[in-house]
Amino acid sequence: AELLKGSEAKQQALARENDSLKAKIKKQECNVEAALEDAEALVDELKRTRELEKKIFLEKETYKSRMENLMEERHKLEADLVAAQKQIASLAAENDRLAGHQNQAQKIQLHLQIKKENNVLRDELTRLKTKLNKLEPGMHEGEKENTAA
């Protein structure tokens, strides 16, 4: 009977251990399921990340190509601008040369000097005309006297 009691006690201990192991197995199965779900979520996230990375890479390449084209166009426009500025300077120099003066201030001063000179000459002309008019009547009388003699 003691043997039976010992055997029942062993059997009960084994049953408890069996129940404990079943609970641990169930818990481990839940953990494995959760780990698999997490792994699937990570795989999905990795796929989305790779797709996004690929899309962004293609966009980057497109923008890089566009930037290179714009840089080439910018360099061309800068060269055109330099050429246009040289042409403007050349045309301005030619314009000044044709106008007769390199300096606008000199041109103004010369113009004022010519006006003053013209005014002086006009005054002198008026004075000389007046003097001539005063002398002419006497000359006509002198001519009459010369022709009469």
Side-chain angles (χ1 to χ4, degrees), residues 121-135:
L121 290 173
R122 191 176 295 119
D123 290 344
E124 187 177 341
L125 179 65
T126 304
R127 184 179 56 78
L128 290 173
K129 278 183 180 180
T130 305
K131 188 175 182 180
L132 181 64
N133 285 336
K134 286 181 183 178
L135 291 176

Side-chain angles (χ1 to χ4, degrees), residues 3-66:
L3 200 45
L4 197 52
K5 244 186 190 181
S7 174
E8 269 182 42
K10 270 189 177 178
Q11 203 173 21
Q12 285 177 353
L14 286 174
R16 279 193 302 268
E17 189 177 335
N18 191 21
D19 289 341
S20 172
L21 289 174
K22 282 182 183 178
K24 284 182 182 180
I25 289 173
K26 193 163 196 129
K27 187 176 180 184
Q28 289 299 325
E29 285 175 350
C30 287
N31 287 344
V32 167
E33 285 178 24
L36 285 175
E37 288 174 6
D38 288 346
E40 286 177 18
L42 288 173
V43 167
D44 289 343
E45 183 65 27
L46 182 60
K47 284 179 184 177
R48 279 194 301 275
T49 302
R50 284 185 181 164
E51 288 173 12
L52 186 60
E53 184 181 80
K54 185 177 180 180
K55 179 182 173 187
I56 290 172
F57 178 78
L58 292 174
E59 283 182 25
K60 179 196 73 120
E61 289 300 312
T62 301
Y63 286 127
K64 182 179 177 184
S65 174
R66 186 172 176 207

Side-chain angles (χ1 to χ4, degrees), residues 100-101 105-115:
H101 293 283
Q106 286 177 344
K107 185 177 180 179
I108 291 170
Q109 290 300 321
L110 181 63
H111 187 69
L112 290 175
Q113 183 181 352
I114 290 170
K115 276 188 165 186

